[in-house]
Amino acid sequence: MIPNCKACTFIIILGIFGFCLISFGFGVYFFYSDVKKNFIASKMNMNKGSSYIEPWTGLSPIMYDKFYFFNVTNYKEVEEKNAKPKLQEVGPYTFQKFIKKEIVSQTEDTITYREKTSYVFHKELSSGDQNEKIYLINLPVVAVDKVADLKCPEDMKEIAFSIIDSTLEDHKETVFVYKSIDELLFGGYKVEAVGELLDLARTFLGEDEVPDVLPNNTFGLYYGKNNTYSKNFTIATGRDNIKDYSNIVSWDNSKNLAFWNDEYCNQINGSDGLEFPPFLKKTETIYVFIEDICRSLYFEYEKDFFIRKLPVYRFVIPDRLYSAASINEDNKCFCSALKSCDVGGITPVGPCYMDVPIVASAPHFYQGDSSLLKEVRGLRPNKDQHESFFDIDPVTGTVVKGVRRLQISADVRKSENLELLESISDVVLPVFWISQEYELSNDDIDYLYWKIVFPLSIAPVVSLSALILGCTSFFLSIISWCLLKNVSYFQSIRIKIAKRSLIKRNSQTGNELKKF
């Protein structure tokens, strides 16, 4: 008995459809595997054979450094009457930043490079020009007091500070200076008094004992940093483990720092903040090593959202990063250079700048102890304006938008040795803060999404769905065919039984007619 033709046709079509879906599912899976393999390979190769490290996707991020300064409007009262500093924030003064990573050496596992950084001032993106002048704490003088107190032997301090006092007075140095933004940043200004003191120190201690802290006797926060090279970075290619990709293996040819008196604080963790390992999870903590403050910062997941069609994870600095050592013991080795470890919100920077008394924090002491805000007037910490964050595509580890904000303050202390600083109060005095901003263009975001993220994200779903549906269709066709054959078989048996019954009846009827 041949099954119903229409049913057979449907079952055959269902089976073919299932087989095609299974084939399609496997095809998509192999395509996904190939794309993922090539993607990982492109990450690990890291411009092999090139002289430069360029973003692997060919992206062209736009980077700006925005500087904000704190003008001390009542500098006379602070200097002479022990008054609380009134701060007026001025800025931003915006510079477009260009970074070129030049390869020094390369192996299968690591790549060593140095960064050449250039800055171009953008007046149209700034609040004013670089000729504007403000009153700022005289950092070289504050540094001379702290460094001389640390380095000078006790039996020579009285004579040494008499010479320092006399030299500063001869050059008419004051507690506060009135300088232009250009002088405070890249242009610099002459500090002849400090240069003279350094020369005198070299006479007594020897040339090698006194470093050249002020090139050309000139001070500027970014003096000599335009169009210059960084120290060498060595990063992992991720050949053995893609999660190690872009992580720093060594800096300045050393795997650990030497600024902090602790193994934990001397660790170099994470990347340089321009890229992270791919396939990022919300539960991960990401680390960024910041050369300017000689330590790593860490970021944790806060939320996820879309930039255009691209899904991103936002990672932010948790409060405990800046917590006091009594709350977070991990910070104990960082705060050892401060007079107190009980104040959260600041981390010393001096140990990597020849013990100059400066500290780093979030702008306006955001996430810091309230006592820091009480020492000065004019600060208004705000999450939206002062938080650091990275918006990262979790598939590729690419930073779509990043804003790293950092404030530098002078740890000013009343001096027992220096006449110039006898009347000033102890205060952590903000000097400036910088917003380092990194962002991909809309075209780059679309390219990243459609060329890499979409195929890598959608392929597993399509492959699995096709395999499930295909297998279901294929097995349904087999089951239906078996059922149809069984139905046809039972129908044939019933027909045979019916025929036999009919023949038997007809036979009985014929016999009865013969008798009649």
Side-chain angles (χ1 to χ4, degrees):
M1 179 74 182
I2 299 174
N4 183 280
C5 289
K6 287 185 178 179
C8 287
T9 303
F10 174 76
I11 290 170
I12 291 169
I13 291 173
L14 186 65
I16 293 172
F17 176 70
F19 180 77
C20 290
L21 277 178
I22 292 171
S23 301
F24 175 73
F26 277 113
V28 172
Y29 173 77
F30 288 124
F31 167 76
Y32 163 74
S33 299
D34 191 52
V35 170
K36 185 176 179 181
K37 183 179 178 181
N38 290 334
F39 162 69
I40 292 174
S42 68
K43 282 275 192 181
M44 291 190 300
N45 282 337
M46 301 192 63
N47 306 83
K48 195 170 183 179
S50 172
S51 299
Y52 302 99
I53 300 179
E54 301 293 348
W56 64 270
T57 51
L59 305 178
S60 302
I62 301 170
M63 291 180 278
Y64 290 103
D65 278 5
K66 298 179 178 179
F67 294 89
Y68 299 79
F69 283 87
F70 293 101
N71 181 31
V72 183
T73 59
N74 65 334
Y75 70 96
K76 273 288 183 186
E77 289 81 1
V78 176
E79 186 175 345
E80 298 174 358
K81 299 179 182 179
N82 207 13
K84 185 179 293 186
K86 289 182 183 178
L87 305 179
Q88 174 197 20
E89 183 180 279
V90 295
Y93 301 94
T94 304
F95 294 79
Q96 187 169 1
K97 183 163 65 175
F98 301 90
I99 295 178
K100 181 170 283 188
K101 297 183 178 183
E102 298 185 3
I103 295 175
V104 176
S105 62
Q106 189 171 10
T107 68
E108 290 292 327
D109 297 315
T110 63
I111 181 168
T112 299
Y113 68 89
R114 60 178 185 169
E115 290 181 345
K116 183 178 182 181
T117 305
S118 305
Y119 298 87
V120 176
F121 181 66
H122 279 257
K123 186 177 179 179
E124 67 278 8
L125 299 177
S126 305
S127 64
D129 61 43
Q130 295 186 79
N131 294 321
E132 293 177 348
K133 290 189 172 185
I134 62 171
Y135 286 97
L136 213 65
I137 189 73
N138 193 336
L139 279 174
V141 168
V142 174
V144 163
D145 176 60
K146 174 70 178 294
V147 174
D149 187 47
L150 285 173
K151 306 292 184 183
C152 191
E154 284 294 330
D155 59 349
M156 292 183 63
K157 275 188 180 180
E158 186 175 348
I159 298 173
F161 276 98
S162 296
I163 295 171
I164 293 172
D165 272 328
S166 176
T167 304
L168 294 178
E169 187 177 353
D170 289 343
H171 289 277
K172 298 180 177 163
E173 290 290 345
T174 54
V175 178
F176 291 89
V177 293
Y178 185 58
K179 300 294 179 182
S180 70
I181 300 301
D182 178 58
E183 288 175 308
L184 293 171
L185 281 175
F186 294 96
Y189 60 92
K190 291 285 186 181
V191 189
E192 298 293 352
V194 175
E196 190 175 312
L197 289 170
L198 289 173
D199 289 339
L200 188 61
R202 290 188 186 99
T203 303
F204 285 98
L205 303 176
E207 289 286 336
D208 296 334
E209 295 298 319
V210 182
D212 189 14
V213 293
L214 288 182
N216 303 318
N217 293 337
T218 303
F219 172 77
L221 295 166
Y222 274 62
Y223 178 71
K225 286 191 175 183
N226 201 357
N227 297 312
T228 57
Y229 288 95
S230 70
K231 294 176 180 177
N232 286 350
F233 287 85
T234 299
I235 59 175
T237 62
R239 185 171 70 98
D240 294 328
N241 183 0
I242 192 61
K243 297 304 288 183
D244 290 333
Y245 168 79
S246 78
N247 284 338
I248 297 171
V249 176
S250 69
W251 173 71
D252 194 22
N253 303 314
S254 178
K255 292 186 177 181
N256 295 288
L257 303 174
F259 306 112
W260 316 102
N261 297 319
D262 186 89
E263 185 179 346
Y264 171 79
C265 286
N266 278 325
Q267 290 179 353
I268 301 173
N269 298 314
S271 71
D272 62 4
L274 297 181
E275 203 169 7
F276 295 94
F279 312 116
L280 184 65
K281 296 178 181 178
K282 296 178 181 180
T283 54
E284 293 183 59
T285 298
I286 61 173
Y287 289 82
V288 179
F289 175 70
I290 302 180
E291 184 179 15
D292 290 339
I293 62 171
C294 304
R295 65 164 291 184
S296 294
L297 304 180
Y298 52 85
F299 295 71
E300 294 179 349
Y301 169 83
E302 182 189 51
K303 60 183 178 179
D304 54 273
F305 55 97
F306 289 86
I307 297 180
R308 295 177 72 79
K309 291 184 178 181
L310 186 68
V312 297
Y313 292 168
R314 172 162 290 186
F315 281 73
V316 300
I317 293 177
D319 290 343
R320 71 175 184 279
L321 177 76
Y322 289 116
S323 295
S326 57
I327 298 173
N328 183 4
E329 288 190 2
D330 289 343
N331 289 339
K332 192 171 184 179
C333 47
F334 287 118
C335 71
S336 59
L338 299 173
K339 286 196 173 182
S340 172
C341 282
D342 297 327
V343 178
I346 54 176
T347 180
V349 181
C352 58
Y353 290 98
M354 290 164 287
D355 293 313
V356 171
I358 52 177
V359 297
S361 68
H364 288 241
F365 299 125
Y366 170 68
Q367 296 177 302
D369 196 278
S370 60
S371 63
L372 295 168
L373 298 173
K374 293 176 182 178
E375 293 180 355
V376 296
R377 287 188 282 174
L379 298 183
R380 296 175 182 83
N382 179 281
K383 175 180 170 67
D384 293 335
Q385 295 176 8
H386 304 138
E387 182 180 55
S388 296
F389 64 86
F390 289 105
D391 294 336
I392 305 171
D393 160 39
V395 176
T396 65
T398 301
V399 177
V400 180
K401 183 176 182 179
V403 180
R404 197 169 65 199
R405 295 169 172 139
L406 199 68
Q407 177 176 295
I408 297 298
S409 305
D411 187 18
V412 182
R413 301 294 165 186
K414 182 178 180 179
S415 177
E416 298 176 356
N417 304 302
L418 199 62
E419 187 177 332
L420 201 60
L421 299 176
E422 278 182 346
S423 301
I424 198 164
S425 298
D426 291 354
V427 60
V428 179
L429 184 61
V431 177
F432 78 103
W433 67 274
I434 181 174
S435 179
Q436 297 175 310
E437 302 178 6
Y438 173 108
E439 188 170 10
L440 297 182
S441 67
N442 289 339
D443 289 341
D444 281 343
I445 294 172
D446 291 341
Y447 172 88
L448 184 65
Y449 177 72
W450 290 112
K451 292 292 184 181
I452 302 295
V453 176
F454 182 76
L456 284 174
S457 300
I458 201 67
V461 178
V462 172
S463 175
L464 183 61
S465 301
L467 286 171
I468 292 173
L469 187 58
C471 289
T472 303
S473 300
F474 188 74
F475 285 116
L476 277 177
S477 68
I478 294 173
I479 293 169
S480 299
W481 178 261
C482 293
L483 289 174
L484 186 61
K485 286 199 72 176
N486 288 336
V487 168
S488 300
Y489 173 72
F490 287 120
Q491 281 180 344
S492 67
I493 291 175
R494 281 198 297 269
I495 290 170
K496 285 179 181 179
I497 293 171
K499 281 182 178 181
R500 287 176 183 174
S501 298
L502 184 60
I503 291 170
K504 189 175 182 181
R505 278 190 205 141
N506 288 339
S507 173
Q508 289 175 351
T509 304
N511 290 333
E512 288 175 359
L513 287 173
K514 284 179 182 180
K515 288 178 182 180
F516 180 75

